[in-house]
Amino acid sequence: QVQLVESGGGLVQAGGSLRLSCAASGRTFSRYAMGWFRQAPGKEREFVAAIAWSALNKFYADSVKGRFTITRDNANNTMYLQMISLKPEDTAVYYCVATETWRNPRIGSEYNYWGQGTQVTVSS
């Protein structure tokens, strides 16, 4: 069982930066593949980024590639999403997710653990 708690969201101007954190409970954090999804008002949930348990494999949505970086610190049970050059269209609630195995890290149903979400608002 894994519990996920996001932090680091907030209000930032376009072009600014934020770093989201996801703190995970449990002693087997390093066994889980992790990721971030987001959902904007009136829109469907969408994949943002994912990272394998070893951190050797990382995946990004085309819309954030080159601007967002996903990392993890297995020693401290924490995952991060560094976001730079933020755009108003990045405004959404960002969710931390985890799974023991995945076939396609870009699909939300692959993840069986979800955090409560943290709001990111980018003003123009």
Side-chain angles (χ1 to χ4, degrees), residues 43-83:
K43 295 187 177 181
E44 293 188 353
R45 181 183 65 196
E46 65 174 353
F47 168 76
V48 176
I51 185 168
W53 66 271
S54 65
L56 292 178
N57 294 315
K58 300 180 182 181
F59 306 87
Y60 295 95
D62 288 343
S63 59
V64 307
K65 199 172 295 183
R67 299 187 299 120
F68 291 11
T69 302
I70 189 169
T71 58
R72 66 188 296 162
D73 180 352
N74 287 342
N76 291 298
N77 286 11
T78 306
M79 177 183 63
Y80 303 97
L81 185 68
Q82 179 68 51
M83 307 184 292

Side-chain angles (χ1 to χ4, degrees), residues 13-34:
Q13 289 186 333
S17 302
L18 281 175
R19 188 177 79 158
L20 304 184
S21 299
C22 174
S25 65
R27 294 176 292 177
T28 59
F29 172 79
S30 62
R31 297 182 184 178
Y32 289 84
M34 308 284 294

Side-chain angles (χ1 to χ4, degrees), residues 17 31 40 43 58 86 102 112-113 115 122:
S17 302
R31 297 182 184 178
K43 295 187 177 181
K58 300 180 182 181
L86 283 161
W102 64 27
N112 45 356
Y113 299 105
V122 184

